[in-house]
Every structure is written in C-alpha cells, then in structure tokens.
Amino acid sequence: AQSVTQLDSQVPVFEEAPVELRCNYSSSVSVYLFWYVQYPNQGLQLLLKYLSGSTLVKSINGFEAEFNKSQTSFHLRKPSVHISDTAEYFCAVSLNSGYALNFGKGTSLLVTP
Amino acid sequence: GAGVSQSPRYKVAKRGQDVALRCDPISGHVSLFWYQQALGQGPEFLTYFQNEAQLDKSGLPSDRFFAERPEGSVSTLKIQRTQQEDSAVYLCASSFSDSSGNTIYFGEGSWLTVV
C-alpha cells in the first residue's frame, strides 16, 4: 500500500516570500503524484501532477513541484506567494496501475501582508 | 453543469437517522468516486464506480454505508442509522476514463453533521 506524509500542518508566510510545502510518499511500486488545492468554501482542484517524463512540473499560477525518486518526495514550491494563495494544499498519490487517490492530511498555507 | 454537483450541501441528521447524498458527475465521465473527509484530515477513499459497476468498495467503513450508480451517471451514497463518527464532508469526484493518472474532478462536498 502507498501512503503520503505532509510534514507541516500549517505554514504561515508573508506575501511575496517564497514557500515550500513538503510531501513524502512511501510505495514499493511506481506511482503518480498530485497536488490539489482547496480554497475556503470550495472543492478540491488539481494544481499539478507528475505522471512521467520531466521530474519538474509546473502549474499555471506559478507553483512547481519536483519528483525526487531517491528521496520519495514531491515538494511544492512557489518563489513569491500572494494573499490569494491562502488555502489548504493536499498531496496525493496513486498507483500507476490503479485509480484511487491516497491523500496526505493537508497543509494549511496562510499568506499575510 | 460544468462541474461535479453534490446535494445537499449541508445536512444535519439526528443519530440513528438515515441520510442520502447525491452526486451528479460531469457529463460523460466514466469513473466516479466517493471520499470521506473528516475535520482536519485529508480525504479518505470510500468507493469507486466504473459506469454502473461498483468495482471497489473497500473503503466503506461499515455495512451502514451503501452506494449506487444504477444508470452509470448520478450516484447516491446512503448512510443508515447515522452515528456521530459519520460526521464529515463527503466528496464525490469523477473522471473521464478509468485510466490511472487521469484528472479527477471533485465536487464541493456534502457536509454531514450527526447530532
């Protein structure tokens, strides 16, 4: 079975500062990796995903994540955050032969002026 | 509609009451999922449908939980004799195909509070 660990439950950061949200996974087989974002009072939205190919994947709003197989990590980064990035961020993994997502417990990103 | 639609958005049930939660997936989506998200936790997988077939129900926490998708479109999650520990947000999600790695689209959830 695969599992996901998000090491930080809350990350406070000032506007325009860089941020990294950490995600580690455990699996004995190949996996796909995802980051979902949940804005207040909204549903989960896919931010970015890694399936294969380049280990660095990017979203349209400036986030990026790098798949590191040796460290079994998929950390999410943004060089300069906005107030509007305040949300709950979930890392998830699925087997590349499967369908269901296994989620981490989430990291609450709070961006303040 | 454009997205996954769930109803009711909010439900307060008395302990022991039966509840039914409805999900309208995105039109044409083959795969449908139900997840349970307790307060402060990530979503937990409950069950998976491919069209009308329930292929995996391994995440359903007890036999009080039942899900169906009789015509391969709308799905209903039913919880019988609700208990306080059933209080959670129930998320429905759908995907265009059954291929792993396909984007899964989530609804806004049905918030269930059992009192």
Side-chain angles (χ1 to χ4, degrees), chain A residues 32 36 38 43-44 46 49 51 90 94-96 98-101 103-105, chain B residues 33 35 37 40-43 45 48 56 91 100-104 106-108:
Chain A
Y32 294 149
Y36 276 81
Q38 188 171 34
L44 286 162
L46 179 67
K49 62 181 178 182
L51 302 183
F90 292 93
S94 72
L95 297 178
N96 60 11
Y99 45 81
L101 294 170
F103 286 87
K105 291 187 176 182
Chain B
F33 307 82
Y35 283 80
Q37 186 176 14
Q41 302 294 318
F45 171 78
Y48 165 65
D56 188 341
L91 301 171
S100 182
N102 255 279
T103 297
I104 297 176
F106 284 82
E108 294 182 339

Side-chain angles (χ1 to χ4, degrees), chain A residues 48-70:
Chain A
L48 46 76
K49 62 181 178 182
Y50 170 78
L51 302 183
S52 64
S54 173
T55 57
L56 182 66
V57 290
K58 299 184 179 184
S59 72
I60 59 172
N61 59 352
F63 282 94
E64 63 180 35
E66 186 158 20
F67 169 56
N68 188 319
K69 188 173 182 180
S70 63

Side-chain angles (χ1 to χ4, degrees), chain A residues 5 8 10 15 18 21 28-29 34 36-37 51 55 58-59 63-64 75 85-88 94 105 111:
Chain A
T5 302
D8 307 297
Q10 292 183 340
E15 191 176 19
L21 307 183
S28 58
V29 297
F34 306 79
Y36 276 81
V37 59
L51 302 183
T55 57
K58 299 184 179 184
S59 72
F63 282 94
E64 63 180 35
H75 300 332
D85 293 323
T86 293
E88 191 82 15
S94 72
K105 291 187 176 182
V111 182

Side-chain angles (χ1 to χ4, degrees), chain B residues 14-33:
Chain B
K14 292 185 178 179
R15 195 163 69 94
Q17 188 178 355
D18 296 349
V19 300
L21 308 175
R22 176 188 168 105
C23 173
D24 277 279
I26 294 172
S27 178
H29 277 196
V30 166
S31 298
L32 186 144
F33 307 82

Side-chain angles (χ1 to χ4, degrees), chain A residues 99, chain B residues 47-50 53-57:
Chain A
Y99 45 81
Chain B
T47 186
Y48 165 65
F49 290 85
Q50 187 182 114
Q54 188 175 21
L55 298 187
D56 188 341
K57 53 181 181 179

Side-chain angles (χ1 to χ4, degrees), chain B residues 9 22 40 54 64 85 89 93 113:
Chain B
R9 287 293 318 279
R22 176 188 168 105
Q54 188 175 21
R64 297 185 295 103
E85 61 263 28
V89 180
T113 301

Side-chain angles (χ1 to χ4, degrees), chain A residues 9 11 17 19 31 55 62 76 94:
Chain A
S9 59
V11 174
V19 71
V31 297
T55 57
L76 182 70
S94 72

